[in-house]
Structure formats: structure tokens, C-alpha cells
Amino acid sequence: MTAYGSIGTALVQVLTNRLGEAYVLTAAGDIEGHITEARGLYRGEALAVVRPKNRDEVAFVLKECAKAGVPVVPQGGNTGLVGGGVPYGGVVLSLARLDKVREIDPINATITVEAGCILKAVQDAANDAGYLFPLSLASEGSCRIGGNLATNAGGTAVLRYGNMRDLTLGLEVVLADGRVWDGLKGLRKDNTGYDLKDLFIGSEGTLGIITAAVLKLFPKPYSRVTAFIGCSSPYDALKVFQRLREATGDQLTAFEYVPEFGIEIVLKHMPGSIRPLAEKHNSYALIELSSPQKDADLQGQLEAVLGEAFEEGLVQDAVIGSSEAQSQALWGLREHLSEVQRMEGGSIKHDVAVPVSRVAEFIDIATKACETEMPGVRVCAFGHFGDGNIHFNLTQPVGMDKAAYLSEWERFNRIVHDIVHGVNGSISAEHGVGLIKRDELVLYKDAVALDLMRSLKRALDPQNILNPGKVVSIGDNAPAALPK
Amino acid sequence: MTAYGSIGTALVQVLTNRLGEAYVLTAAGDIEGHITEARGLYRGEALAVVRPKNRDEVAFVLKECAKAGVPVVPQGGNTGLVGGGVPYGGVVLSLARLDKVREIDPINATITVEAGCILKAVQDAANDAGYLFPLSLASEGSCRIGGNLATNAGGTAVLRYGNMRDLTLGLEVVLADGRVWDGLKGLRKDNTGYDLKDLFIGSEGTLGIITAAVLKLFPKPYSRVTAFIGCSSPYDALKVFQRLREATGDQLTAFEYVPEFGIEIVLKHMPGSIRPLAEKHNSYALIELSSPQKDADLQGQLEAVLGEAFEEGLVQDAVIGSSEAQSQALWGLREHLSEVQRMEGGSIKHDVAVPVSRVAEFIDIATKACETEMPGVRVCAFGHFGDGNIHFNLTQPVGMDKAAYLSEWERFNRIVHDIVHGVNGSISAEHGVGLIKRDELVLYKDAVALDLMRSLKRALDPQNILNPGKVVSIGDNAPAALPK
């Protein structure tokens, strides 16, 4: 508490009086989980962790912190991958107790949830009401909707349903000074002024703190078919993607790319996993079609496109998982990819997006560039191919010292991000900016855009107390962007 | 030019030197079409109308106007319905010469167009490339994409494809001081900072001037079926909508509502139009299913849902237009609705949205309230039922004086908008705010939201020279909101 002296002490007392002692944590052991992030890359510090129970308490916290001039760092499940939730002083505001599903309107196909709801709980509530809430990502069992909104989360269903921004109709937001914007509308059309909602979504807690949202629901997909194909190159995979989109439209729910190296390490480290196709191929894609029609002939449609592509040599082999168990086994190969990379040593990661038309070329060129830069480096480029979003990860050469390898992160950033920039791509597709890409953004983002971002930050948070130093830096005391 | 004195004269000279005499119009006859709007509700004035040929000339105009402190009012096709394009002094900036399709990327499914492209030209360019650009609205033959973006245009395809915001991936924008933000990216995912794009979309030229955009394309719908159903109430129509959405998902491309009064006046005024069903019904819906699959059994799906609804009495009668000619005849009934209202005298119009779950109730309650308020008033509530967006128009009682009737506009605003507000709806669903709803917004919009809008306006246009007085008023000399 020393950094804020008596102001900090007084603030903690005021917050304790309102929230109750159990919900204002200051002991080192109590706050440890809130000042670090999952991978241990960053470790910050905090005056206190507060756990308000509702919107009004959140507003109270913001108002008091603004009065005291003390920063506020919001946290949901603290599962972010860019250091956006790590506090460098100030108060951590946990939204975890705001975890109510406030309303489901089946005819409007909307669900109103509080920011602290765990994503899985929202999926389950939708499912119980006979609907689909499509956002789906690796941390869905512990990440919270507020964090999904703050980072405009993506995942495996974006191809068909869009990212968190596309799934959101309304928001409730507490502003830097403690005022509340009630924008909890569930409307498909609303042109009454500037789009405030999308300004807060993806702003990573730097412009306001989202306390609730109205989200879109969709008809459940009652038919579903999964396939795993092997191709001789990402270029061929792209041609197959294009044909599937043309022939099946929005029934194409997923088109995920996996390289042979990815299959190898899944087979090596995941007991029970089986090579999906008889031979090895350069590139694989996990394909899913789905439909709300109970009797949609998805397998027939898929076979028609793949059959033609096979005859032309675009697809070298394919397997169709027609049962739920087979589908799950195929999805398992894709889903295990993240964890097995860790077992192969250090991994230098990039979350990039390019126009879909350039995605094969990007994988090809960036792979060669990295392999040339460091012989023996093992490229694990995988992910949301149909969105042009590739997790371009680089596994260390066998036998190299892990720390020595990871110290090359910036060198590889430059190679990969330069290529992405060259095709008008994005250096952060779905994970956000947080700390880890804040200074990288300055290298690649349009200078006018950065200036607009600073103007918006100053307009909405003139004291710079909302998650300061993240996304865009306007103050003097911003923490270092890269982990030490 | 008197209002700006020698500053105005000097500005016009500077602009003429750069753009050429042919593109800086000052003669009364030349500018008349730019200082009025289509329905003659507003008439403003302008120092000059400038017609730059490209982005750099737009930037030059903005820079010079900012230096001189002279307002700039952007115009596309000048087809808006809320007075948003009417100048009250300053320079009208016509985007009409920026009319190039810059690029089509078929694999990325994107088209990059300049703001002055006529909507129909964009639809045609997409079609020629084998794709669909879905935005479709009454003025598509003359409205321009820049205006569609500035107003976040809606129309008949929103149910399936979303509004203009949903169709846009990237923008190029000239700011109030003449700087250019190049955000022309065609990415499905990009989380590199605040969402600037959506801030400009729907801001009606008050935060920046959009000069180009990257728009999404979709697979062409090769199968299509249209139906026209008669129901005993909007409540039954809503039940049918819900069943169709559940059974057919995104194949449901349109669900447009038409009341019996609408059919009556179309039949009366449109030669050759034919009553679509044998009997009269309280409520009608025009339904369209479509699919990119060439052999999708849409008619079978439609018949299955309608057959069941018929047996339960939810649908009283139905006709399916299986040929293109039959479909067009059914769509004609819906499309003629706007023009035939004019032939029945004065019309007091409201463009509102409510949660879809409340749309039948809204039509019912608001109709009764207006009929009680003025016996003989004829309610023409129609439109995008599946989006919860109703054009709640009130045709004057037979024989009443038109001017006397129209003088009651504010009284009916209060009745209709109060009901909309009561169900957490929007008083401007797709037409925007402009002038006509600027002060109405102050009555119904969350006060914190309005304050945020003013903060954003001040941050991005501190001189208040971009379309001043529209959407949100921050200056002293704003024009009156309602037509005189």
C-alpha cells in the first residue's frame, strides 16, 4: 500500500465499509492469484482486490477510485494471454460475483448475462432454453463473459457466428467516474446515435468496465458432420475451403488448419490419439458442417465437394466422422494442439490474421522465413484458417536451451509481423493487445489510428485510471510491455 | 457567402484552385439540389458545393475548411430521410465523384469501394464476380455507399445478413482536420485496439468523412422461395416467424409484415396488382427462404412449417411463389407500400425497433392507442418484422386537411415513442437521427449515453465543423430539429 500512502489506506477503508471485509482482499496470499497471469509471464502488484457483488457496488468502487486517483484493473477469469489483466498498482476489480443470468428471451433469441458469468455457464443456460450460444474457446470453463467482451474473444465458431462483438446486442458499462451507461437493449436495429457498444467491446477495460450484456442466441444445430482432410499444401486447403463456402454457405461452421508437425506432437503426447488418415500429408483441415434442420443431408453435401476435390488432387485423403464419437475424436486432435506444444519446449507465439485469400501464402512464406532464420525451428502454424486467423507458433529446435530460444522472441516477431503487415494483416487477431503487444502496435498500426485511440482514451478516461498502460499508453508511468 | 465574409471568399478560391472551377459550385441553380432533401421537409443554405475527385482532395477540403473554421456537410446520394444531409451554412462536400470499385477479392469474399459508389453499382459488381452484396433498400438506384455507411443502413436483407455495420470490414476516413485514417483492411478478425470503424459507421458525417470501405460478399443464393401468408393477428405472425427461424435457420432471408390496410392501398393505386390471397386477413407476412445450394428443398421446408401452422390455425391462408415471376409479384406488394401511402394524403412516420418478442404486442397496442387518439386515422404499420423493426406510419383520416393533420406529428411521436421506450426499443431503427430526431433523442436516450456521444464528438471534432447540429448538438448555433 505504500505507493498510495494514506490515500490508499483511506480508500481501502471506504471500500471495505461498503463491500464488507470479506470482499476487499489485501493479504499477500489472497491477492497472489490476481497479480499474476496464467503463464507466469507477468507479475504485478495491487493495493487490494475488491469483489463487488453488483453493478452499484462496481460503480461505487469506480467513483471512490476516481476521487482518490487510484487505478482500477478489471478481471474476469484472468485467463487472458496478453497481460491485459495484470495490475501495476491500484485496485483489482474482480467481476466474479456478478454471475447471474438475468434473463432469457427465447422469442427475441437473446440472453442477458452479468460480466462475471463463466462462458460455459452461458452456453449451458442457452442450451437449457433450447438455443445455441456459439462462442467457444479453450478456456471456456473458466473465462468469464466480461473478459470475452473486453477482448472481443474469437475461437472456433467465428467462421459461422462471428466473434464476441458480433454476438452482442447491448451492454451495461460503468465509466471511469462511476457513472453507469445502461445500454442493455436487445435490438437487432438501433440507429440512435454513435455506436458506444462497440467502443467498449475489445477495449480491454481501458475505457469502461462492462458489468452486463445482452447476447444473441441461435437455433441449435441438430445436424452436424465433421471431416478431416489431408492436402499437399495450404494452397490446396484454401481451394477446398473456397469450394465448401460456395456450395454450403453458412452450413460451413468450422475450417481449422493443422500442420503435420501438429499431428505428430499430438500423437506423441496424447495417449489414445490416433493418426486420422493412413498417410502423412503436408496440411490438414478439420471441417464441420452443421444445420438447424434435423434431416439436412450434410454428409451428402460434404462428400460431393470433397469427392470432386479428391478427383482433382486438391484433397489427398479424407475421413468423415459421422458419429458423435468420431467427430469428438477428430476435434480432439485440434483441441489438444495448444497443450502439447508446451511439452516440446519453448514456444514463440503469434496470433495473426490476414485476408483469407492470403492465408496459404502467409503460412508458406512465414514458415520458410522462420526456418531460414533458425535452422531446426519447428513451425506449428494452426487454427482458424477460414477466418484468415493463424496461431503462428514456433517450437524450439530439439535440444536448444529454452531460455536462449525464448530470448529470440522479438527477432521472430519482426519476421512474422513484417510479413503479416505486408499483406495488410493484423498482429493481434483474437487475443487482444494488453501489455505484450502494446509497443508492437506502435510499429505496425496506422499512426492516425493510434492517435485516434489516444484521443478516445483521454475523452473517456481523462485521469488514466482504467487499466492504465494497457492497449495504448497515454501516461508517464506505464509498465514495460514485454515480460522481464 | 455573407455569413463567412472574406474568409468564405478566400476559402472558395483556395478550393477552386485545387479542385478546378467545374467542381466548386456556388451558383444558386447549381447548389439547389444539395441544400434541400428529397421530401422537401428541410431547406438549408451553403457557401459552396465541392466535388472532390479522390481521397486526397477530400483531405484538402477538410484541412482548408478546418483552417477557416467553416463547416463541412458530406453528401452521397442525398436520399436520407432524417435531414442529415441538409447544410446550414458551410461547404457541402459531395462524394459522388469517388465512385470507383477499387478491388474485388473473390477468395477473401470482399469488395473495396469508394464512398460515392451507388449501391446498385456495388450489388452489380458483386454479382458480376459471382457473389452477393446483400444490402438492399428502396433507394438503391441512387443512394451511395458512403451514405449507407454514415447511416448504418438497413433494409430487407438485415434478417439474414445484418445491416451496413455488419457488412463492413474496413474503412478509409478523412478526419475533421484533414488527416486520413487508413483502415482499409479486409480482415475477419482484428483485435489491435479500439474499434474505430464502428465509431464512424452510423455517425452521419459528424465524426469523420468516410471515403472508402472494404465490404463483405456472400455466396449467391441459387435457390429461393417466396410465400405470402395471411394471419388473424400479428401475434400469430410472430409465432410463425419463430417456427420458421427454428426450422430453417439462416435460410430464412426475409420476414416482412404487411397489414390489410397496406394491401388495400396497393391494390387501389398500383395498376395490375392482384390480391394475393382469396380472403382478407388482419395481418400478412412476406416470407423468403434462400440458399447457396442449387438443389436445396426450400419449398419442402417452407410447406412443412406452414402446413403445421395452418392446421393449428396460426396461418389462415398462404400462397407460395415458386417461379421468379410469382416471387416478384409478391415482393411488389411489399415494395409498393412506401409510394402508395403518399397517394392517401399526409403520413406521419415512425421508424422504430423493439425486441422481436414484443413486435406483435407493439403493433397491437400502438395501433389501438393511435386510433383512440384520432378516430379515423389509418395505421400503416409494416416492414422488417423479423428484425423487430416496424415503419409505424399513420395515414391521415379520409377528408381531413393535410396540413392540419401533419401538425399533429409531435403528438403522435409522443404516443408511439413512449410505447417503444416502454419496451426498451429504439426510436430510430434504420434511418438515423439527422435533424428530425435529434431533440427526440434527448427525451428517450440514456443521459449518460448522450453525454458520452458529446464527449466523442468533442474529441474527434473539437471545432464542431463536421455536419454540425446533426445527431447530437454541442454548439450554440445548431439548426432547429423539426421542419418549419
Side-chain angles (χ1 to χ4, degrees):
Chain A
M1 284 195 212
T2 47
Y4 303 97
S6 62
I7 289 174
T9 314
L11 175 64
V12 168
Q13 192 55 54
V14 167
L15 298 179
T16 306
N17 291 347
R18 172 77 186 256
L19 273 58
E21 254 179 59
Y23 302 114
V24 179
L25 315 175
T26 53
D30 291 339
I31 69 170
E32 181 62 23
H34 296 273
I35 61 171
T36 52
E37 46 85 78
R39 294 170 305 176
L41 289 179
Y42 295 96
R43 187 170 193 285
E45 53 178 345
L47 182 64
V49 174
V50 301
R51 306 182 73 236
K53 69 174 178 214
N54 57 31
R55 181 194 79 176
D56 290 349
E57 286 194 356
V58 174
F60 179 84
V61 172
L62 269 284
K63 203 169 158 185
E64 292 302 324
C65 287
K67 259 198 277 181
V70 169
V72 178
V73 178
Q75 274 184 9
N78 197 19
T79 60
L81 297 172
V82 291
V86 182
Y88 289 87
V91 167
V92 171
L93 193 159
S94 166
L95 280 302
R97 290 175 71 212
L98 282 79
D99 62 353
K100 276 182 274 306
V101 173
R102 288 196 195 160
E103 192 195 355
I104 294 182
D105 180 342
I107 303 178
N108 198 39
T110 48
I111 184 168
T112 306
V113 299
E114 294 184 341
C117 284
I118 287 175
L119 173 53
K120 183 71 169 58
V122 178
Q123 294 169 345
D124 290 347
N127 191 58
D128 292 347
Y131 281 86
L132 171 74
F133 179 67
L135 191 78
S136 177
L137 36 92
S139 60
E140 63 195 27
S142 55
C143 66
R144 293 174 192 267
I145 273 299
N148 299 144
L149 287 158
T151 58
N152 184 29
T156 54
V158 173
L159 180 64
R160 165 63 185 82
Y161 297 100
N163 50 27
M164 196 63 194
R165 185 183 303 291
D166 301 306
L167 301 175
T168 307
L169 293 175
L171 290 185
E172 178 185 87
V173 179
V174 178
L175 304 182
D177 58 8
R179 286 180 303 159
V180 176
W181 168 48
D182 178 0
L184 274 185
K185 287 179 189 279
L187 302 174
R188 256 67 186 179
K189 285 182 175 172
D190 183 13
N191 278 353
T192 55
Y194 306 153
D195 180 10
L196 303 174
K197 168 174 72 71
D198 285 308
L199 192 57
F200 292 107
I201 295 174
S203 71
E204 305 185 31
T206 64
L207 299 179
I209 294 182
I210 297 166
T211 50
V214 184
L215 308 175
K216 289 186 198 169
L217 299 177
F218 293 82
K220 271 193 203 179
Y222 284 105
S223 308
R224 186 196 303 261
V225 64
T226 311
F228 208 86
I229 63 169
C231 302
S232 69
S233 74
Y235 297 98
D236 284 355
L238 182 57
K239 285 180 190 150
V240 176
F241 167 72
Q242 205 192 345
R243 289 176 181 207
L244 275 168
R245 192 184 48 194
E246 271 180 36
T248 67
D250 263 355
Q251 295 173 111
L252 181 60
T253 326
F255 195 102
E256 297 283 312
Y257 182 83
V258 181
E260 168 58 23
F261 174 65
I263 295 292
E264 274 169 28
I265 58 175
V266 169
L267 295 179
K268 179 173 165 191
H269 296 290
M270 297 308 298
S273 59
I274 298 165
R275 183 171 279 280
L277 303 171
E279 309 285 330
K280 291 184 182 180
H281 305 270
N282 173 284
S283 303
Y284 302 87
L286 175 69
I287 298 164
E288 186 183 273
L289 299 189
S290 67
S291 167
Q293 281 180 260
K294 291 197 170 91
D295 55 354
D297 180 22
L298 300 176
Q299 187 159 344
Q301 291 180 56
L302 188 57
E303 283 170 354
V305 176
L306 294 184
E308 203 174 292
F310 181 79
E311 303 221 338
E312 294 175 43
L314 295 175
V315 169
Q316 297 181 315
D317 196 5
V319 57
I320 291 184
S322 42
S323 75
E324 191 57 32
Q326 284 175 313
S327 286
Q328 275 179 18
L330 294 176
W331 269 106
L333 294 170
R334 161 69 183 84
E335 283 162 354
H336 289 312
L337 253 182
S338 300
E339 51 187 300
V340 295
Q341 287 173 74
R342 223 173 317 169
M343 302 172 191
E344 288 291 320
S347 177
I348 293 176
K349 295 174 192 293
H350 306 90
D351 167 41
V352 303
V354 297
V356 179
S357 51
R358 313 299 289 267
V359 68
E361 174 192 345
F362 163 73
I363 292 173
D364 183 21
I365 291 174
T367 297
K368 285 172 183 158
C370 291
E371 288 174 349
T372 303
E373 183 72 14
M374 183 185 286
V377 79
R378 295 169 296 164
V379 177
C380 190
F382 72 100
H384 319 302
F385 194 84
D387 305 320
N389 173 197
I390 296 299
H391 298 305
F392 195 85
N393 296 350
L394 302 164
T395 294
Q396 67 167 72
V398 176
M400 185 173 177
D401 175 70
K402 182 175 170 180
Y405 175 69
L406 290 179
S407 72
E408 304 289 351
W409 200 307
E410 284 200 72
R411 184 151 64 109
F412 282 109
N413 266 358
R414 211 55 53 237
I415 293 168
V416 175
H417 290 169
D418 279 357
I419 295 169
V420 167
H421 190 63
V423 294
N424 217 1
S426 165
I427 63 161
S428 179
E430 59 175 11
H431 294 166
V433 176
L435 273 178
I436 209 164
K437 289 184 184 163
R438 187 196 66 204
D439 295 352
E440 198 73 8
L441 215 58
V442 177
L443 298 179
Y444 294 104
K445 187 106 180 167
D446 180 90
V448 174
L450 278 170
D451 208 49
L452 281 170
M453 284 170 56
R454 286 185 208 105
S455 298
L456 295 170
K457 173 71 173 171
R458 285 192 200 97
L460 268 63
D461 180 22
Q463 285 184 278
N464 192 26
I465 60 169
L466 284 176
N467 209 2
K470 312 294 170 61
V471 185
V472 64
S473 180
I474 61 165
D476 294 331
N477 299 311
L482 291 179
K484 278 152 207 155
Chain B
M1 284 193 211
T2 48
Y4 303 97
S6 61
I7 290 173
T9 313
L11 175 63
V12 168
Q13 193 53 56
V14 167
L15 298 179
T16 305
N17 292 348
R18 172 76 187 255
L19 274 59
E21 255 181 56
Y23 303 115
V24 179
L25 316 175
T26 53
D30 292 338
I31 69 171
E32 180 62 23
H34 295 273
I35 62 172
T36 52
E37 47 85 79
R39 295 168 305 176
L41 289 178
Y42 294 96
R43 188 170 193 284
E45 53 179 346
L47 181 63
V49 174
V50 301
R51 307 182 73 235
K53 70 174 178 215
N54 56 30
R55 182 195 78 174
D56 290 349
E57 285 194 357
V58 173
F60 179 83
V61 172
L62 269 285
K63 204 169 159 187
E64 292 302 324
C65 287
K67 260 199 276 180
V70 169
V72 178
V73 178
Q75 274 183 9
N78 198 18
T79 59
L81 297 170
V82 291
V86 182
Y88 289 87
V91 167
V92 171
L93 193 158
S94 165
L95 279 302
R97 290 175 71 212
L98 282 79
D99 62 353
K100 275 182 274 309
V101 172
R102 288 198 196 160
E103 191 195 355
I104 295 182
D105 180 341
I107 304 178
N108 198 40
T110 49
I111 184 169
T112 306
V113 299
E114 293 184 344
C117 285
I118 288 176
L119 172 53
K120 183 72 168 59
V122 179
Q123 294 169 348
D124 290 347
N127 191 58
D128 292 346
Y131 281 87
L132 172 75
F133 179 67
L135 192 78
S136 177
L137 38 91
S139 60
E140 62 195 28
S142 54
C143 67
R144 293 175 192 266
I145 278 294
N148 298 142
L149 287 158
T151 58
N152 184 27
T156 53
V158 173
L159 181 62
R160 165 62 184 84
Y161 297 100
N163 50 26
M164 195 63 194
R165 186 183 302 291
D166 302 306
L167 301 175
T168 306
L169 292 176
L171 289 184
E172 177 186 87
V173 179
V174 178
L175 304 183
D177 57 8
R179 285 180 303 159
V180 176
W181 168 48
D182 178 0
L184 274 187
K185 286 178 189 279
L187 302 174
R188 257 66 188 180
K189 286 182 174 171
D190 182 13
N191 278 352
T192 53
Y194 305 154
D195 181 10
L196 304 174
K197 167 174 72 74
D198 284 308
L199 192 57
F200 292 107
I201 296 173
S203 71
E204 305 185 32
T206 64
L207 299 180
I209 294 183
I210 297 166
T211 49
V214 184
L215 308 175
K216 289 186 201 170
L217 300 177
F218 293 82
K220 271 193 202 180
Y222 285 104
S223 308
R224 188 195 301 263
V225 64
T226 311
F228 208 87
I229 63 169
C231 302
S232 68
S233 74
Y235 297 98
D236 284 356
L238 181 57
K239 286 180 190 150
V240 176
F241 167 72
Q242 205 193 345
R243 288 175 182 209
L244 276 168
R245 191 183 50 193
E246 271 181 34
T248 67
D250 263 356
Q251 296 173 110
L252 181 60
T253 327
F255 195 102
E256 296 283 311
Y257 183 82
V258 181
E260 169 57 23
F261 173 66
I263 295 292
E264 274 168 28
I265 57 175
V266 169
L267 295 179
K268 181 174 166 190
H269 296 290
M270 296 310 297
S273 59
I274 298 164
R275 183 172 280 279
L277 302 171
E279 309 285 329
K280 292 183 182 178
H281 304 271
N282 173 283
S283 302
Y284 302 87
L286 174 69
I287 297 163
E288 185 183 273
L289 298 190
S290 67
S291 167
Q293 281 179 260
K294 291 196 170 94
D295 56 353
D297 180 22
L298 300 176
Q299 186 158 344
Q301 291 180 56
L302 189 56
E303 283 171 356
V305 175
L306 294 184
E308 202 175 293
F310 180 79
E311 301 218 342
E312 293 174 42
L314 295 175
V315 169
Q316 296 180 316
D317 196 4
V319 59
I320 290 185
S322 41
S323 74
E324 191 57 32
Q326 284 175 313
S327 286
Q328 275 180 16
L330 295 176
W331 268 106
L333 294 169
R334 162 68 184 85
E335 283 162 355
H336 290 311
L337 252 182
S338 299
E339 51 187 302
V340 297
Q341 287 173 74
R342 224 173 315 169
M343 303 173 191
E344 289 290 319
S347 177
I348 293 176
K349 295 173 192 295
H350 307 91
D351 168 41
V352 303
V354 297
V356 179
S357 50
R358 313 298 288 268
V359 68
E361 174 192 345
F362 164 73
I363 292 173
D364 183 22
I365 291 174
T367 297
K368 285 172 182 156
C370 292
E371 287 173 349
T372 302
E373 183 72 16
M374 183 184 285
V377 78
R378 295 170 295 164
V379 176
C380 190
F382 72 100
H384 319 303
F385 194 84
D387 307 319
N389 173 198
I390 296 298
H391 299 304
F392 195 84
N393 296 349
L394 301 163
T395 294
Q396 67 167 71
V398 176
M400 186 173 178
D401 176 70
K402 182 175 171 180
Y405 175 69
L406 291 179
S407 72
E408 304 288 353
W409 200 307
E410 285 201 70
R411 184 152 64 109
F412 282 110
N413 265 358
R414 212 54 55 236
I415 293 168
V416 175
H417 290 168
D418 279 358
I419 295 170
V420 167
H421 190 63
V423 293
N424 216 1
S426 165
I427 63 161
S428 179
E430 58 176 12
H431 293 167
V433 177
L435 273 177
I436 208 164
K437 289 184 183 163
R438 187 195 66 203
D439 294 353
E440 197 73 8
L441 215 58
V442 177
L443 297 178
Y444 294 105
K445 187 103 180 170
D446 180 89
V448 174
L450 278 170
D451 209 48
L452 280 170
M453 284 169 57
R454 286 186 208 103
S455 299
L456 294 171
K457 173 72 174 169
R458 284 192 201 97
L460 268 64
D461 180 22
Q463 284 185 277
N464 192 26
I465 59 169
L466 284 176
N467 209 2
K470 312 295 170 61
V471 185
V472 64
S473 180
I474 62 164
D476 294 332
N477 299 313
L482 289 179
K484 278 152 208 156

